[in-house]
Amino acid sequence: MNAYRMQVRTELMLSLRQGEQLLVSVGIPLLILVFFSLTGVLPIPEGFAKTVDFLAPGVLALAVMSSAMVSLGIGTGFERQYGVLKRLGATPLGRGRLVAAKISMVLVLELIQVVVLVTAALALGWRPSGSIIAALPAFVLGTAAFAGLGLLLAGTLSGTVNLAATNGLYLLLLLLGGMVVPVDRLPSGVRAIAEVLPAAALSETVLGAFSASATASAKAWAVLAAWAIAMPLVAARSFRWE
């Protein structure tokens, strides 16, 4: 357990020291929240009094994707390329506790994100009708889905290819995930694709937990749960340590 705790601390410190990781996990979600809440560029969806009421839950969903997929996936991919994973897996820490430490790092990072983003959203006038507790199942499923996806890419692609693929996927899911632009505003063909992706399912379930004006559909929960189960399983079977 001492080795596990030390590894969690090391993983967290490495993530917090990397400027590009902080930009993706905290900077971009915070920038989106503040910019679009203050400028009024986005149309206010029906049933919401202010833009921030729709944006805040979506940005929290984006934060989960940023930490669980991007921060975890890119960092792990380069560690694999440089042989760090192979060496750490051969130490008394072991592979199981190494993976557990990385997931724990993601959870701590998500907690930091929630504190920063919720504080900023409240300052911008957000008044949620739900709570973090109500959104907890969505956060857990979303973390499992995106962590599995991040580890799948990290464990099968080279470091540089993984970097490009993860960043490209991040931008794609940001556009299709209903985090900034509502999914129902997308063209019908694109909307059909977006609705079966984990980003849109996560943003819909988080929005439903925080807003009385929106209710998450059973389909969204089913899609999110399917990704949360499938991605870790596929990652575990496909992951290569070197």
Side-chain angles (χ1 to χ4, degrees):
M1 290 304 295
N2 286 335
Y4 162 75
R5 286 194 292 267
M6 289 300 296
Q7 188 62 31
V8 172
R9 182 175 181 273
T10 300
E11 297 283 350
L12 185 60
M13 293 303 297
L14 288 174
S15 295
L16 294 177
R17 287 175 180 174
Q18 294 179 5
E20 64 275 15
Q21 299 282 21
L22 285 177
L23 176 63
V24 171
S25 58
V26 178
I28 291 178
L30 185 60
L31 178 62
I32 289 174
L33 175 66
V34 173
F35 177 80
F36 287 111
S37 295
L38 294 179
T39 58
V41 174
L42 295 177
I44 300 176
E46 185 178 351
F48 295 91
K50 294 171 290 188
T51 304
V52 69
D53 294 334
F54 168 77
L55 269 180
V59 166
L60 289 174
L62 176 62
V64 172
M65 184 173 74
S66 301
S67 295
M69 185 180 75
V70 181
S71 296
L72 176 64
I74 291 177
T76 304
F78 279 111
E79 287 178 354
R80 172 176 166 264
Q81 177 173 307
Y82 296 141
V84 175
L85 285 184
K86 179 182 178 181
R87 296 186 183 95
L88 286 175
T91 66
L93 176 67
R95 293 181 175 182
R97 280 184 290 184
L98 174 58
V99 173
K102 288 183 173 294
I103 299 300
S104 298
M105 176 273 293
V106 170
L107 295 176
V108 174
L109 190 56
E110 287 179 355
L111 180 61
I112 295 172
Q113 291 173 299
V114 167
V115 171
V116 172
L117 294 174
V118 168
T119 300
L122 292 174
L124 290 167
W126 182 41
R127 296 297 179 264
S129 56
S131 66
I132 291 291
I133 301 300
L136 191 58
F139 286 143
V140 171
L141 292 175
T143 299
F146 285 111
L149 182 55
L151 289 176
L152 173 62
L153 296 175
T156 55
L157 303 176
S158 65
T160 50
V161 174
N162 173 53
L163 173 65
T166 301
N167 283 327
L169 186 59
Y170 174 79
L171 291 175
L172 178 64
L173 293 177
L174 172 59
L175 294 174
L176 299 182
M179 298 165 179
V180 178
V181 179
V183 173
D184 59 12
R185 302 289 178 90
L186 300 174
S188 58
V190 177
R191 183 169 65 246
I193 296 173
E195 288 175 347
V196 298
L197 296 177
L202 177 59
S203 61
E204 182 177 337
T205 52
V206 173
L207 181 62
F210 281 112
S211 175
S213 303
T215 302
S217 65
K219 178 183 177 180
W221 281 107
V223 168
L224 186 59
W227 282 90
I229 295 171
M231 283 297 96
L233 291 176
V234 175
R237 291 179 62 87
S238 306
F239 195 91
R240 299 194 301 269
W241 288 80
E242 55 181 302

